[in-house]
Amino acid sequence: MPRFGLAEAMEDDPVDLADSAYSQISSQLAQWSGEADDDDNEMDVVSTRRKSLFTRAGFVRPPLASPKLSDFKKSANIPNLNTDMVDINSDNNTSLPPPPPPSTSSRPHLSESYHASLTTLLQSYPSNPSFALQSYFSMLSKGASTEHLSEESNVWSLLTKLVEGNVQMLTSPSPSSPTPPPTFKDITSNVTATPESVTQAVLTTDPKIFRRAIILEWLETCAKEHVSYTDPSISSKKSKMWPDTLSSLLSSSKPPSFSPDLLPPLRGTDLIDESSLLSSCLQFLRAGELQEACELCEKAGQPWRAASFSGGNLTGEVVTSVEEGKMEIMGNSDFLLWRRICWNLSRSLKNAPTNKIMGSSLYPPEVYESLIYAALSNDRETLLGSGLLKGFFDRLWVNFRCLHNRTIDETVVAHNKERRAATSTFSYPGTPAVEDKSESDQLSFTQSIKSVNENTIVATAPASTIYHHAIKAIILGLDSVSSFVQTSKYESIDQLRFLAHLSLIPDLKMGVKTSLLKPYISHLVDMRMLELVAVYVSMLEEDDIVDMYVRVCLVTEDVDERRLVYNLGTEHLPEQMEEILSSSVSNTILSPSNPSSNKLSALQWLTFDDGYALELLTKSNLLLRQLMTEGLFETSQTLVLSHVPSDTVSTIRAMVESKEEAADLADDAESVIWEYESLVASVIAIAKYTLWKETLAKCTVAVDAGGDPVQVHGLTVEEKEIMDKMKERESRITNSSKAKDLAEAASETVAALQTVLLFTGGYLNMSAEEDQQDSQRANEINHLRVSLVPLLLNMLMHVNFTMGQQTSDRSYFKACMEMTVTVAKPQTFILDCLSQDAVKEFMEKVAEAGNKYVGLGGKLGPISITIAIIKHETSDLQRTRPSSIYAHYLSLIVPVQHACVW
């Protein structure tokens, strides 16, 4: 027998199927969510769902709306039920075919898209979890089938069936209710109710029984898609029964015997046709389609066989015919007697030959017929002993069907006893007046079924795949599912995906989910399926959410991908997103192995929303401190010009003003802005200095080239003089223009450097209160300040001194000497940043500038004496006590300020 539930290759485009299914489910979910508030509507849905079980139980004739033969595959190319059937005489028989080859779909991750879309859908309807969950698992089932992952699809369809039945998904006990449900005794004591309605009440009231009925229906649905059969109506013989045998008997000179024990064997093709018919009937019965089996028998000219299959219809409503004046009882009042007849038929055929028909893959008709009547009579021993029903799903079906039918038999017997005890004058319709031996016999012969339960069923089912074990766990209950998910080892990405989604079942332990979702999220990131990541991360624990999404951000560099990750993170992780972005940027900046380009690019995460402007400026300060400490001034300039929007500071101030009671926020914001503006000022000053040096180099080359004589042959002396004069004039014009450019560059550079050194409150000079609030930041700023201030001071001295030498303008040397006043000012705090060697170097430069100034006609008065004293005294300065050094240095500099005549 072929594996029930193995999907066949789909001919339609998987993507079209996916889009269509998702659209249908979304629409249905919207409709459900509108109905969920109406208790009556919800009960109607559940009631309809439960009633539908009786069309599949084998004791109520299916309605006319049930699927017809035309709904199933009729192609002769479809593998016959017996083509894949094992040899039932073999010791190593098994009905499991080789696994299907791996999917070669060009869209290997279609199912992941489904899972993520439906997880999002599930989160979108928190007020209607049951309906959302129903849609969720239904779509997962469709998504898996689209990739031909039918075994996985079976798992999701089982969960869907349980949810659709409005029972607890994984456990049979129902929640405590203020009104206890009626007991078995209460239900069967209702003598006026028909056997059909009483049985229906028993099957739908007890949670355990109802859950088993749902699992049975699921097992039959799994087999439904894979029924293959031969339609007798396509044969030229059409509705004749055994035409070859009949023709042989008619042409024989010997009269045939009509004794049941002496019937002649089937002739010609009748034997194969009979086996094919009964094989098809067994498939339909296995798929819960008994009505289809009956119709097939009628088409084959065997209405008597169809009638023998249909005796399981319990007595229902009594119909009164007005015209004929009589009462008609619908259903079989001798239901249990029919069961016993089917049992005897099954056992009488059980020992028939089991060798395959010569030249065919089919077994003799008796093999299939025995199993059909065994299923109808609840003969579990015969069903389990057959080599045709040894597969995983087949074993489950046999056990759950027998449990289901045993419940029906017990109910009918108990109801009959109650009816007979209620009256002795007349019998109720559908109940024999006298107890028949068939009632006690049926319960006696199926007594062993009472010891069957979910544990014994699972223990005997031959599971061979991770999906089979998952089904076992679901059948056993929530604890088993939790244990299965926690202990299962995945061997492929498909299995990891399956386990990860199975872990999303409500009420499973969070640790179980985390251990599977993390590697699955990593897989999605590796495959660049970033659109699916955020929704899965949102299902992790709080601490894991931030850590996992930070990892996602760290490996996302493309701007479009970053925006996608940001948008989805904002949607699914709104409370954690600020911390995630902050941590992502910090981790990138602080990692020593990251190149500067990656660190600059990381700031982009904080530019997607103005709400992160303050955090953007904070991280920019962190990176600027790092870059400038390492001397990467060009990279710092790139950061300021290209990676921080020019309106960031104004955005922060506007944001602070819009918030009430934000005094602390305002202080923090102003501190960050102060640091950023300080760092930017130094970046600009250094950039100006670099530009001035480039301009200086060009001017020097131009001046050197201006004196070269013109060497032109063949000219007269007068002509050479004219050309030399023209060259000289051109050189003067060029040098004049270059000198002007150089002076402008120098002026801008000096202004920029002085802006930094004269920064209000001292450049990067933090208050004691700020030092205590963020000691690490304060240490970094002080370290940068100590290294940067001497550098900027030397740059300023170098510009003035070089320009004085280049232009012979003594005002530049005067500016060098005036720097002593700048350094001496307490509010600049420059002296705190100068080492002993730096002070000596600075004063030597001042003295040299003074000599140059005097050489160009400047008058110093007593300054030369003061400078000599300064040079002598600073040689003994110590850096151990900056405050005393500052006081000592100031006492030496102040006389210069007052005594010198400029």
Side-chain angles (χ1 to χ4, degrees):
M1 183 173 292
R3 293 297 309 128
F4 292 109
L6 291 177
E8 300 172 10
M10 303 181 69
E11 299 176 356
D12 297 326
D13 183 10
V15 176
D16 293 341
L17 292 172
D19 293 341
S20 174
Y22 180 70
S23 175
Q24 293 175 9
I25 292 298
S26 299
S27 300
Q28 185 63 52
L29 185 59
Q31 178 181 349
W32 280 338
S33 64
E35 296 173 352
D37 295 331
D38 189 342
D39 294 338
D40 295 336
N41 288 344
E42 185 172 350
M43 292 304 298
D44 290 343
V45 172
V46 175
S47 176
T48 302
R49 177 78 182 100
R50 295 191 174 195
K51 288 180 180 178
S52 69
L53 290 172
F54 293 90
T55 66
R56 321 194 59 76
F59 59 88
V60 177
R61 191 174 182 85
L64 296 177
S66 61
K68 299 301 179 183
L69 291 173
S70 58
D71 297 332
F72 297 95
K73 302 177 179 65
K74 299 183 175 65
S75 172
N77 295 326
I78 297 177
N80 188 273
L81 172 67
N82 301 278
T83 302
D84 299 324
M85 198 172 297
V86 298
D87 186 351
I88 59 178
N89 295 315
S90 171
D91 294 334
N92 300 319
N93 50 23
T94 175
S95 58
L96 182 67
S103 173
T104 57
S105 171
S106 60
R107 306 175 186 272
H109 302 291
L110 183 60
S111 58
E112 278 93 339
S113 300
Y114 267 87
H115 300 324
S117 299
L118 277 152
T119 308
T120 305
L121 193 65
L122 181 63
Q123 290 184 333
S124 301
Y125 292 89
S127 60
N128 299 292
S130 61
F131 293 117
L133 193 61
Q134 181 178 2
S135 249
Y136 173 66
F137 287 127
S138 177
M139 183 63 78
L140 288 177
S141 176
K142 289 177 169 57
S145 297
T146 305
E147 287 192 320
H148 319 303
L149 303 176
S150 61
E151 288 197 342
E152 180 182 350
S153 175
N154 289 332
V155 179
W156 301 124
S157 63
L158 172 57
L159 293 170
T160 303
K161 291 288 185 183
L162 293 172
V163 174
E164 286 176 348
N166 200 35
V167 297
Q168 287 199 2
M169 185 167 56
L170 298 176
T171 53
S172 56
S174 59
S176 58
S177 174
T179 304
T183 63
F184 180 83
K185 177 68 174 177
D186 295 335
I187 297 173
T188 56
S189 298
N190 186 358
V191 296
T192 60
T194 65
E196 177 186 353
S197 61
V198 168
T199 305
Q200 179 176 346
V202 170
L203 290 175
T204 56
T205 300
D206 187 287
K208 181 182 291 187
I209 294 175
F210 181 51
R211 187 172 183 273
R212 288 172 176 175
I214 291 178
I215 294 175
L216 174 61
E217 180 188 15
W218 164 75
L219 288 164
E220 293 176 343
T221 302
C222 290
K224 190 174 182 179
E225 299 179 0
H226 310 289
V227 175
S228 60
Y229 68 96
T230 301
D231 190 343
S233 64
I234 65 176
S235 170
S236 59
K237 303 169 186 178
K238 295 190 176 179
S239 60
K240 291 181 180 180
M241 181 178 71
W242 306 329
D244 289 346
T245 303
L246 178 61
S247 176
S248 175
L249 291 175
L250 292 175
S251 62
S252 175
S253 58
K254 183 179 179 180
S257 172
F258 291 98
S259 170
D261 298 328
L262 299 176
L263 286 176
L266 297 177
R267 308 289 178 83
T269 62
D270 291 346
L271 181 63
I272 293 179
D273 289 345
E274 187 77 353
S275 292
S276 178
L277 170 66
L278 291 173
S279 168
S280 300
C281 289
L282 178 59
Q283 290 183 74
F284 278 122
L285 180 60
R286 169 65 180 82
E289 298 292 344
L290 182 60
Q291 174 66 11
E292 307 300 337
C294 294
E295 291 183 8
L296 199 63
C297 291
E298 292 174 2
K299 286 187 176 183
Q302 299 184 22
W304 58 270
R305 193 186 296 278
S308 72
F309 290 169
S310 303
N313 296 328
L314 288 173
T315 303
E317 296 181 0
V318 177
V319 179
T320 303
S321 175
V322 179
E323 292 85 359
E324 300 179 8
K326 65 180 182 179
M327 182 175 63
E328 180 181 0
I329 301 175
M330 303 299 293
N332 184 7
S333 59
D334 294 316
F335 164 73
L336 292 172
L337 177 61
W338 170 80
R339 282 263 210 243
R340 297 308 308 146
I341 294 173
C342 289
W343 179 287
N344 293 331
L345 283 172
S346 171
R347 290 301 176 101
S348 67
L349 298 169
K350 183 177 180 181
N351 297 322
T354 56
N355 296 324
K356 291 183 179 180
I357 300 174
M358 184 177 298
S360 171
S361 61
L362 296 169
Y363 292 94
E366 293 83 0
V367 173
Y368 307 109
E369 192 169 16
S370 173
L371 293 177
I372 292 172
Y373 285 116
L376 295 176
S377 63
N378 217 23
D379 187 354
R380 179 171 175 265
E381 180 182 347
T382 298
L383 293 172
L384 292 180
S386 170
L388 301 184
L389 297 172
K390 282 190 174 296
F392 174 74
F393 290 96
D394 300 331
R395 289 285 176 166
L396 294 179
W397 174 76
V398 168
N399 283 295
F400 277 102
R401 179 181 174 86
C402 289
L403 280 173
H404 187 80
N405 287 340
R406 171 73 187 190
T407 300
I408 295 173
D409 294 348
E410 291 175 345
T411 302
V412 172
V413 170
H415 189 232
N416 286 347
K417 288 182 178 180
E418 293 291 341
R419 281 184 153 190
R420 294 190 191 102
T423 178
S424 58
T425 57
F426 61 90
S427 60
Y428 285 93
T431 299
V434 180
E435 180 178 1
D436 190 84
K437 186 174 182 296
S438 61
E439 295 183 13
S440 58
D441 284 352
Q442 181 63 17
L443 294 184
S444 175
F445 279 88
T446 60
Q447 181 66 26
S448 62
I449 298 177
K450 288 185 68 67
S451 63
V452 177
N453 55 39
E454 281 74 8
N455 289 320
T456 58
I457 293 173
V458 165
T460 58
S464 59
T465 69
I466 191 173
Y467 308 107
H468 292 170
H469 288 289
I471 291 170
K472 282 186 171 186
I474 294 171
I475 290 174
L476 291 177
L478 186 65
D479 291 340
S480 295
V481 173
S482 180
S483 177
F484 164 75
V485 173
Q486 194 167 15
T487 59
S488 294
K489 304 297 182 183
Y490 53 87
E491 298 177 354
S492 66
I493 292 300
D494 283 336
Q495 291 183 3
L496 170 61
R497 171 179 49 77
F498 166 69
L499 290 172
H501 288 94
L502 195 61
S503 73
L504 300 180
I505 291 175
D507 301 325
L508 284 187
K509 296 178 181 177
M510 179 58 72
V512 176
K513 299 180 182 180
T514 301
S515 63
L516 289 166
L517 285 178
K518 279 188 173 181
Y520 183 61
I521 292 169
S522 298
H523 161 68
L524 294 178
V525 174
D526 291 341
M527 301 306 297
R528 310 314 295 167
M529 302 179 68
L530 302 177
E531 69 276 9
L532 310 178
V533 172
V535 67
Y536 290 100
V537 174
S538 68
M539 298 182 182
L540 298 172
E541 291 184 276
E542 184 72 22
D543 295 341
D544 293 321
I545 287 177
V546 175
D547 177 67
M548 201 67 201
Y549 215 62
V550 166
R551 296 184 190 181
V552 176
C553 295
L554 290 177
V555 298
T556 306
E557 298 180 358
D558 179 76
V559 61
D560 292 332
E561 287 186 341
R562 282 184 171 179
R563 189 169 290 279
L564 175 65
V565 169
Y566 169 78
N567 289 337
L568 292 176
T570 302
E571 178 182 353
H572 297 289
L573 313 168
E575 297 180 359
Q576 298 89 4
M577 203 58 193
E578 183 174 358
E579 182 181 356
I580 289 170
L581 295 181
S582 178
S583 298
S584 299
V585 178
S586 295
N587 290 350
T588 304
I589 292 175
L590 297 177
S591 174
S593 60
N594 281 336
S596 299
S597 57
N598 286 3
K599 296 179 180 182
L600 292 176
S601 177
L603 295 174
Q604 187 181 63
W605 287 109
L606 300 170
T607 62
F608 293 138
D609 192 303
D610 288 344
Y612 299 118
L614 181 57
E615 188 66 21
L616 170 62
L617 218 56
T618 302
K619 300 307 179 188
S620 298
N621 290 344
L622 173 63
L623 182 53
L624 280 172
R625 293 197 299 268
Q626 184 184 106
L627 294 174
M628 297 183 74
T629 300
E630 297 173 2
L632 302 176
F633 300 119
E634 289 187 7
T635 306
S636 301
Q637 183 179 355
T638 303
L639 185 157
V640 172
L641 296 178
S642 304
H643 293 275
V644 179
S646 58
D647 61 346
T648 301
V649 172
S650 60
T651 300
I652 293 173
R653 287 185 169 135
M655 178 182 65
V656 172
E657 291 176 0
S658 65
K659 295 185 178 181
E660 298 179 359
E661 301 179 359
D664 293 339
L665 176 61
D667 292 341
D668 293 341
E670 287 303 325
S671 177
V672 171
I673 292 173
W674 164 81
E675 180 187 353
Y676 179 73
E677 290 179 340
S678 300
L679 294 172
V680 169
S682 59
V683 169
I684 294 174
I686 294 172
K688 295 285 187 182
Y689 176 77
T690 303
L691 181 61
W692 169 80
K693 288 181 65 177
E694 293 174 356
T695 306
L696 176 64
K698 294 178 182 178
C699 290
T700 303
V701 172
V703 171
D704 292 342
D708 292 342
V710 179
Q711 301 293 334
V712 181
H713 300 285
L715 296 178
T716 63
V717 176
E718 291 80 5
E719 290 173 338
K720 289 181 180 180
E721 290 178 355
I722 294 173
M723 289 195 66
D724 289 341
K725 289 179 181 180
M726 292 176 61
K727 179 64 177 177
E728 183 179 356
R729 181 174 178 275
E730 181 181 350
S731 178
R732 285 198 305 269
I733 296 173
T734 301
N735 290 338
S736 175
S737 176
K738 294 292 184 181
K740 183 179 179 182
D741 292 342
L742 181 61
E744 291 177 354
S747 176
E748 293 178 1
T749 302
V750 168
L753 290 168
Q754 287 180 336
T755 298
V756 177
L757 295 174
L758 297 175
F759 212 81
T760 303
Y763 177 70
L764 291 179
N765 185 42
M766 297 185 69
S767 65
E769 182 180 353
E770 290 176 314
D771 284 351
Q772 294 176 355
Q773 290 177 350
D774 191 343
S775 58
Q776 182 177 353
R777 175 187 174 219
N779 290 336
E780 291 178 2
I781 289 177
N782 289 332
H783 178 72
L784 177 61
R785 178 169 173 262
V786 168
S787 63
L788 204 55
V789 167
L791 176 64
L792 297 173
L793 183 61
N794 287 337
M795 287 180 177
L796 182 56
M797 292 292 290
H798 182 238
V799 173
N800 283 325
F801 197 90
T802 302
M803 288 301 295
Q805 288 181 317
Q806 191 78 9
T807 62
S808 299
D809 185 349
R810 66 186 184 209
S811 63
Y812 286 108
F813 296 116
K814 178 182 177 181
C816 288
M817 292 185 291
E818 288 175 341
M819 283 304 300
T820 58
V821 179
T822 301
V823 173
K825 288 182 178 180
Q827 58 268 34
T828 64
F829 294 92
I830 294 176
L831 188 58
D832 290 344
C833 303
L834 300 180
S835 65
Q836 178 180 348
D837 292 338
V839 172
K840 292 169 65 176
E841 182 182 352
F842 170 70
M843 294 309 300
E844 288 172 357
K845 204 67 176 178
V846 171
E848 187 178 356
N851 293 332
K852 292 287 186 181
Y853 179 75
V854 173
L856 292 174
K859 297 180 180 181
L860 294 178
I863 192 170
S864 58
I865 301 175
T866 306
I867 292 174
I869 295 174
I870 291 173
K871 291 177 65 177
H872 174 73
E873 295 292 337
T874 53
S875 63
D876 297 327
L877 293 178
Q878 301 294 327
R879 285 294 291 172
T880 56
R881 298 185 61 190
S883 60
S884 63
I885 293 173
Y886 176 78
H888 189 60
Y889 177 76
L890 183 61
S891 67
L892 298 176
I893 295 297
V894 171
V896 177
Q897 181 179 2
H898 296 287
C900 292
V901 180
W902 306 115

